[in-house]
Amino acid sequence: MKDKVRKGGGRNQAKADAVSQTGGKEALGIKQDEDTSFSVKIQGAGVESFELQVHGFWLVQDAVMTLLSRDEVCPRTNLSLALTGTTLDPLTELQSIKGLKPGAVMRLVEESYTSRSSDLHLARVLELLRAPGPQDALREGRSPSVLETLTQSPDSSLPNGKSLKRSLSNTKTETPIQDGAPPEYLLPGSSERPLMALLPHSSQPEAPSYIRDMSLSCWNPPPGHRKLQGDFLYISVVTLEGRRCDITSCPKGFFLNRSTEEVFDPRPAQTAPLCHCFTDLLCQISPAFKQTFTARKNRLQLPPAEVLPTPYHTLSWLGPPCASRTHKNTFSRLGLDDQSATQGPDWNEELQAARDLPLLSLEERLQRDRALLQVNSAFIRAASQAAGTVVDGNVEPVNGNPEDPAFLWGGLFMNQGTANAMYGGERGRRAAQRLELRGVQAYTNIEGLEGLHTLPTAVVDYRGVRLTAQGLAPGLQSAEPEKETTPASRGLLYGVNAGPQESPQRRRLLEHLAQAAKSLSIQKHTVVSPNNYLVPLFTSVDAQGLLGADGRFYILDVFRTFPPDVNFCPEVETDSQTATGEEGSKESCEEKEEKRSCVKEGFPESYQSDLGLPKSFPHSLCRLRPELVQLFIQHKYCQFTQRVREILEENGGFEECATAGDSRSTDAVRAACKEVGSVSNIIFEMRLNPDIFSPGLSFPPAESMSTKLQERLLREAAVLIITHQIPAFVEHCLQSNEAPMDGTSLKQILHQRGINLRYLGHVVKAINQSEHKERLRHILRLVIGEIFIRSARRVFNNFLQGVDVPSVSAAVSHFLCCLLVPHFTPTAVGEETKKKSRRRGRGAGASESMPWSTLTGAELWNWSARTLMKRTAYVTASALVQTTWWSTTAFRRSLCSEKSV
């Protein structure tokens, strides 16, 4: 991993492995404005000579990477380039090499293997022999493609021999399917839905077989005296002819040894030569392999859209039919794909090294983006695998807290977090994990912020359990708990629990945090710590700033980075949270009454009576979206400029007052800043305090005016969603050609306008009150469908947590039948089936004692509807049922294909 991240680092074979995963047909960092391309002739290493187009600004290793991806060279690795008998330095630019000109002959030189490069070569060979097959996506961590099914020709048929289009059409004539047009049963308003496999049958032939089996030999690992002679690995191969062979991997390549299953004889056999490439040796041993391997170039290729690599690995819940042999993995016992959990990479160092790459030129920016993509892809895949391992019970917790168990696996720290009653229990815990990821993304995306770092973070949902995976912060987990240490000795420089400190490192950290607060529109504020210290903050009260052992500053616990949503904040009805102290106890009754009357400042009249807002929510971590914060600042700026113009017009006219040195313009700016709530009285600057309305938090009396102002601004921001953003969304759906088509696009458009999905009920109300309601029927269906799916998914999470591993597949199928099949009732089962059901596990739905197999559709709908009605008062039961049966396919896709990371 490190070889792929650092600029210019890594061996050629590691680079080749990276190219094979990304389909690298291009060199890194191409500069169009300096393009000096020319052709050279490539010879040597047992390949036929061919011409290669290179660029003068390429490094030698870039040319080697391009060569390794060519069909003429593949699957050879561990090669270098030589010119006139001299091996070229991999980090030398081609244009600086003397004697290299168009038409020059460059030779491929076979380099000696190391143990690592030998494994990489075998992995490269296995990757070539495995692909491409129609179901390879399921095994390689990619989403299976259904493109062939959707674009099939009119004469395409189903496995039973009947044409899909003919089976769905009642007419005698058939119209040809237009290129790219979806089948009729996917179009809105279709009355017939075919009963077919969720994973469509593919007409593509299976990948050919090259050998019967390949695995590690029983004589592994090599004994000490053979290691001294260069033996890396012993590989056992069974050819298509049935011949069993033992092959030795060594620095010079691969050779056939004389070992059998009963006798260990590592001496080279006389029937096959030493080969640098593993496939060359297999061609010598097996004529059938040679014939199949040679014909691979002429076999039918899959469409490019079906083999396009995805940036992130996915864990598919679908699989091919049981009768299919596509799951057979001939090479699984070779052990090259296994990664020991104890040898996990340092994910934090990988990510920080990629982020620290230079950004001066276009080439450097492209290299940095590619490095980040590689690290993020590998990290998310590792987090997904770790979550499955942890939830399946294969990892022991590293702490003794059963309420908040923590796990270490593959270089990752994983936990669920504590279900704090102050945040809303289990719902609050899941919300905190999601908000932590959003906060990490916010700090990571700040442009120009150097010196403040975040840990690699991912959130994984698996079998109803949500886990947070993070890279290990360097030096922060090594403190011994039995020894009393100060916050500074643990690296804690910033936060409520850091205590009074003064050091150069702390000052630098505060500078970085102040810069980040300006970018995120966070107001600097002061809170009273539990020890009665006044703590100035540039972040939310939970955040901590630390100095790692690597000398980098890290910020953690950023789940309350964004300000609270007052529409769903119960604390809005309480008094202002300022510390009373001795002075506060002397407040008169009139002052207290005035204080209470100011709580609602910022809400329009009759706001609560008309809309029922603010109201409670199942958890207390409802936060505004960052898009809404920026839209609110733009809204306040429009008010500011309009108010400045109005004041100037009242004092003699805009043109007369808007001159340099005129005190009336300065006074107008000051007055407008005060009216709109600017934190500065001389320029417009809008910032929000994320700790306002936080339960159990106190502010010093000196900040009472600032606290009242922030309460007013947050109420105005919450009102903006109802009065401006939701009506603007409805108008967008009427006027724009880019209206949402499914639940995913609906969420994207709502989020772009700063509307959280908890406002879907208010969106329904706005559509119902619109005079163009009939034109918005498809949007109404999408919104109601999304509301129901979110409710059903919460029931589904609880349902899965009570199911044992052997019963998960059956339980999920049963749940989908209850959700999507009208009037579904479980079939009566015999006594033996009931016993099996009791042995398999019990569902957790609404009652922990109810077996999952006895769940009915009516019960599931009642639970989902009750959950839904607690949050939404604008959706009727009839509209819910009508919408759900109208779009069962969309619901199934939304429920089962939700992003887990």
Side-chain angles (χ1 to χ4, degrees):
M1 181 65 67
K2 293 180 180 179
D3 293 337
K4 300 177 188 177
V5 173
R6 295 185 175 88
K7 178 185 176 184
R11 301 179 183 272
N12 293 340
Q13 61 270 13
K15 291 286 187 179
D17 186 49
V19 171
S20 68
Q21 296 178 12
T22 57
K25 294 289 184 181
E26 301 176 352
L28 298 177
I30 296 180
K31 300 179 182 177
Q32 298 295 337
D33 54 343
E34 302 178 10
D35 193 2
T36 55
S37 61
F38 56 92
S39 296
V40 295
K41 192 172 184 179
I42 305 298
Q43 295 180 350
V47 301
E48 298 181 1
S49 60
F50 62 94
E51 289 190 354
L52 177 68
Q53 192 79 7
V54 298
H55 299 270
F57 58 84
W58 278 5
L59 300 179
V60 173
Q61 67 180 6
D62 296 333
V64 173
M65 289 171 59
T66 305
L67 283 170
L68 296 180
S69 64
R70 294 285 296 262
D71 291 337
E72 296 89 341
V73 179
C74 185
R76 289 171 172 80
T77 61
N78 219 57
L79 301 175
S80 60
L81 281 173
L83 181 66
T84 63
T86 303
T87 302
L88 302 178
D89 185 355
L91 300 181
T92 303
E93 288 190 355
L94 296 181
Q95 60 191 5
S96 64
I97 299 176
K98 295 182 179 180
L100 183 59
K101 56 185 178 180
V105 177
M106 304 183 73
R107 296 193 62 84
L108 288 171
V109 179
E110 297 175 343
E111 299 286 350
S112 296
Y113 287 108
T114 63
S115 178
R116 173 60 177 165
S117 61
S118 176
D119 290 346
L120 290 173
H121 176 78
L122 289 173
R124 174 79 162 143
V125 171
L126 298 188
E127 181 184 7
L128 178 68
L129 299 183
R130 282 172 175 168
Q135 305 295 346
D136 279 343
L138 296 173
R139 185 171 55 210
E140 297 174 3
R142 292 185 286 112
S143 297
S145 173
V146 295
L147 178 65
E148 177 190 2
T149 303
L150 299 179
T151 59
Q152 59 184 342
S153 59
D155 57 347
S156 299
S157 57
L158 295 173
N160 59 8
K162 296 182 180 180
S163 171
L164 175 62
K165 188 171 183 66
R166 185 179 297 111
S167 65
L168 298 176
S169 176
N170 294 326
T171 60
K172 295 183 178 181
T173 60
E174 296 181 1
T175 58
I177 298 180
Q178 299 178 358
D179 293 339
E184 292 180 0
Y185 62 88
L186 289 183
L187 298 178
S190 174
S191 59
E192 296 187 32
R193 305 288 170 84
L195 185 61
M196 51 193 300
L198 291 177
L199 185 62
H201 175 78
S202 176
S203 62
Q204 297 289 343
E206 296 291 343
S209 298
Y210 296 93
I211 53 179
R212 289 187 182 180
D213 188 34
M214 183 163 64
S215 61
L216 291 176
S217 172
C218 60
W219 303 112
N220 267 303
H225 70 283
R226 291 304 305 179
K227 287 184 179 180
L228 295 178
Q229 299 184 51
D231 291 1
F232 294 145
L233 201 67
Y234 299 134
I235 307 165
S236 180
V237 175
V238 179
T239 66
L240 293 178
E241 296 87 354
R243 178 185 177 188
R244 183 190 178 279
C245 307
D246 265 36
I247 298 175
T248 300
S249 169
C250 66
K252 293 185 179 181
F254 305 87
F255 64 86
L256 182 66
N257 61 47
R258 303 182 185 182
S259 298
T260 64
E261 292 184 88
E262 294 81 16
V263 178
F264 175 63
D265 188 354
R267 294 177 299 168
Q270 300 178 354
T271 57
L274 173 68
C275 298
H276 188 268
C277 183
F278 188 71
T279 55
D280 291 345
L281 179 60
L282 292 180
C283 289
Q284 297 283 342
I285 297 175
S286 171
F289 176 87
K290 181 178 181 180
Q291 179 181 0
T292 310
F293 187 74
T294 305
R296 70 180 175 84
K297 299 179 181 179
N298 302 324
R299 70 187 180 195
L300 183 63
Q301 299 293 326
L302 295 176
E306 295 198 26
V307 297
L308 186 69
T310 54
Y312 297 129
H313 285 258
T314 58
L315 299 178
S316 177
W317 54 279
L318 292 174
C322 296
S324 174
R325 65 177 182 88
T326 55
H327 184 65
K328 180 182 179 182
N329 190 349
T330 308
F331 317 105
S332 61
R333 291 188 292 137
L334 197 57
L336 296 176
D337 297 332
D338 298 336
Q339 178 182 351
S340 174
T342 61
Q343 299 179 355
D346 187 345
W347 293 110
N348 181 68
E349 181 59 31
E350 298 284 352
L351 182 64
Q352 306 307 335
R355 288 176 179 172
D356 292 342
L357 291 176
L359 293 169
L360 298 179
S361 64
L362 175 61
E363 177 186 358
E364 290 174 343
R365 290 193 293 271
L366 290 175
Q367 286 184 347
R368 181 179 183 272
D369 290 343
R370 289 188 177 97
L372 284 174
L373 181 61
Q374 288 180 0
V375 176
N376 285 330
S377 301
F379 175 74
I380 290 177
R381 184 183 186 187
S384 302
Q385 294 173 341
T389 305
V390 168
V391 176
D392 289 341
N394 299 324
V395 182
E396 292 295 328
V398 295
N399 61 349
N401 185 1
E403 298 296 329
D404 182 17
F407 305 90
L408 286 176
W409 191 91
L412 296 171
F413 176 80
M414 308 196 69
N415 71 328
Q416 287 183 265
T418 305
N420 195 326
M422 181 176 64
Y423 297 144
E426 178 64 23
R427 290 287 299 275
R429 172 166 61 184
R430 296 176 69 91
Q433 293 172 289
R434 171 176 49 83
L435 291 171
E436 177 72 18
L437 179 61
R438 190 188 301 175
V440 169
Q441 292 172 338
Y443 277 96
T444 302
N445 295 335
I446 297 177
E447 296 183 2
L449 180 61
E450 298 181 359
L452 186 62
H453 302 266
T454 58
L455 295 177
T457 306
V459 175
V460 187
D461 289 333
Y462 178 67
R463 285 178 52 198
V465 178
R466 173 167 291 181
L467 291 173
T468 299
Q470 286 186 317
L472 299 178
L476 303 184
Q477 70 279 359
S478 60
E480 298 182 9
E482 63 273 8
K483 295 183 179 180
E484 293 187 3
T485 57
T486 63
S489 64
R490 299 194 306 268
L492 182 60
L493 301 179
Y494 169 85
V496 173
N497 297 322
Q501 296 185 38
E502 187 60 37
S503 64
Q505 294 85 356
R506 175 179 166 84
R507 286 194 293 270
R508 288 203 306 270
L509 175 59
L510 292 179
E511 292 175 0
H512 297 320
L513 292 174
Q515 182 182 355
K518 182 177 181 179
S519 301
L520 297 175
S521 302
I522 298 176
Q523 184 199 27
K524 179 183 177 182
H525 56 285
T526 303
V527 299
V528 181
S529 71
N531 297 327
N532 292 325
Y533 289 115
L534 297 183
V535 182
L537 296 176
F538 294 95
T539 62
S540 62
V541 69
D542 311 280
Q544 300 183 76
L546 305 104
L547 177 62
D550 56 357
R552 298 187 179 102
F553 294 111
Y554 293 91
I555 183 170
L556 309 177
D557 298 334
V558 291
F559 61 95
R560 286 201 285 188
T561 293
F562 299 106
D565 186 352
V566 182
N567 284 331
F568 296 91
C569 184
E571 285 76 17
V572 72
E573 300 180 4
T574 65
D575 289 342
S576 182
Q577 300 168 333
T578 56
T580 57
E582 187 174 335
E583 296 181 2
S585 62
K586 299 180 181 180
E587 286 182 332
S588 63
C589 297
E590 292 80 4
E591 290 174 338
K592 292 183 179 180
E593 186 65 27
E594 181 182 358
K595 186 177 179 181
R596 276 190 207 96
S597 64
C598 295
V599 171
K600 296 299 182 181
E601 183 183 1
F603 283 149
E605 295 183 3
S606 304
Y607 186 72
Q608 185 170 12
S609 59
D610 294 343
L611 299 172
L613 297 174
K615 63 181 180 181
S616 61
F617 200 76
H619 64 78
S620 60
L621 288 176
C622 297
R623 320 301 285 186
L624 298 177
R625 293 194 59 83
E627 298 90 344
L628 192 278
V629 173
Q630 297 304 317
L631 290 170
F632 177 69
I633 294 176
Q634 295 176 10
H635 173 73
K636 299 297 289 185
Y637 181 73
C638 292
Q639 291 182 350
F640 169 76
T641 55
Q642 182 180 359
R643 185 57 186 150
V644 169
R645 180 177 291 274
E646 291 175 354
I647 295 176
L648 292 179
E649 291 292 344
E650 295 173 357
N651 294 329
F654 178 80
E655 292 78 5
E656 180 180 349
C657 298
T659 58
D662 194 322
S663 61
R664 290 177 294 180
S665 61
T666 304
D667 294 339
V669 170
R670 290 179 180 274
C673 286
K674 183 177 181 180
E675 290 187 23
V676 301
S678 172
V679 296
S680 172
N681 61 350
I682 56 175
I683 60 172
F684 175 82
E685 185 176 7
M686 189 64 58
R687 299 196 186 188
L688 300 177
N689 185 345
D691 291 329
I692 296 295
F693 302 121
S694 296
L697 187 63
S698 299
F699 299 95
E703 292 201 0
S704 59
M705 296 301 297
S706 175
T707 303
K708 290 181 180 179
L709 173 61
Q710 287 295 315
E711 291 176 353
R712 191 197 88 188
L713 292 177
L714 290 180
R715 294 189 189 98
E716 292 178 355
V719 170
L720 184 72
I721 301 177
I722 302 295
T723 59
H724 289 75
Q725 296 309 114
I726 292 180
F729 165 75
V730 176
E731 186 66 22
H732 168 81
C733 295
L734 287 171
Q735 304 296 336
S736 176
N737 294 327
E738 300 179 357
M741 301 299 295
D742 56 13
T744 301
S745 58
L746 172 68
K747 289 186 287 187
Q748 290 175 349
I749 295 177
L750 288 173
H751 287 167
Q752 288 172 1
R753 296 184 174 274
I755 305 173
N756 302 83
L757 294 184
R758 56 180 168 267
Y759 286 95
L760 287 174
H762 294 272
V763 175
V764 172
K765 180 181 179 182
I767 294 176
N768 288 331
Q769 293 177 347
S770 173
E771 58 183 7
H772 304 289
K773 178 181 178 180
E774 291 299 317
R775 294 172 53 191
L776 296 170
R777 285 183 301 171
H778 62 296
I779 304 297
L780 185 62
R781 292 190 183 104
L782 284 178
V783 174
I784 296 178
E786 188 64 27
I787 291 174
F788 177 77
I789 273 300
R790 289 171 62 81
S791 176
R793 194 161 57 237
R794 274 186 285 275
V795 178
F796 182 63
N797 288 333
N798 294 331
F799 177 84
L800 273 184
Q801 293 181 32
V803 179
D804 293 336
V805 175
S807 306
V808 169
S809 178
V812 171
S813 299
H814 183 86
F815 183 90
L816 293 177
C817 287
C818 294
L819 179 68
L820 303 176
V821 178
H823 313 297
F824 174 79
T825 302
T827 306
V829 293
E831 186 65 22
E832 183 65 24
T833 306
K834 292 182 180 179
K835 292 180 180 179
K836 291 181 179 179
S837 177
R838 285 195 293 267
R839 286 197 300 267
R840 288 177 178 172
R842 305 177 87 75
S847 173
E848 293 292 330
S849 62
M850 187 190 69
W852 61 263
S853 59
T854 60
L855 176 68
T856 65
E859 291 171 335
L860 175 59
W861 275 75
N862 287 335
W863 294 340
S864 301
R866 284 199 300 267
T867 305
L868 184 151
M869 295 305 176
K870 291 179 181 178
R871 301 180 52 201
T872 307
Y874 309 112
V875 181
T876 63
S878 59
L880 179 64
V881 174
Q882 180 182 4
T883 305
T884 303
W885 299 132
W886 174 83
S887 54
T888 55
T889 303
F891 286 162
R892 180 179 60 195
R893 181 175 64 250
S894 176
L895 180 66
C896 301
S897 301
E898 183 72 12
K899 291 182 180 180
S900 60
V901 179

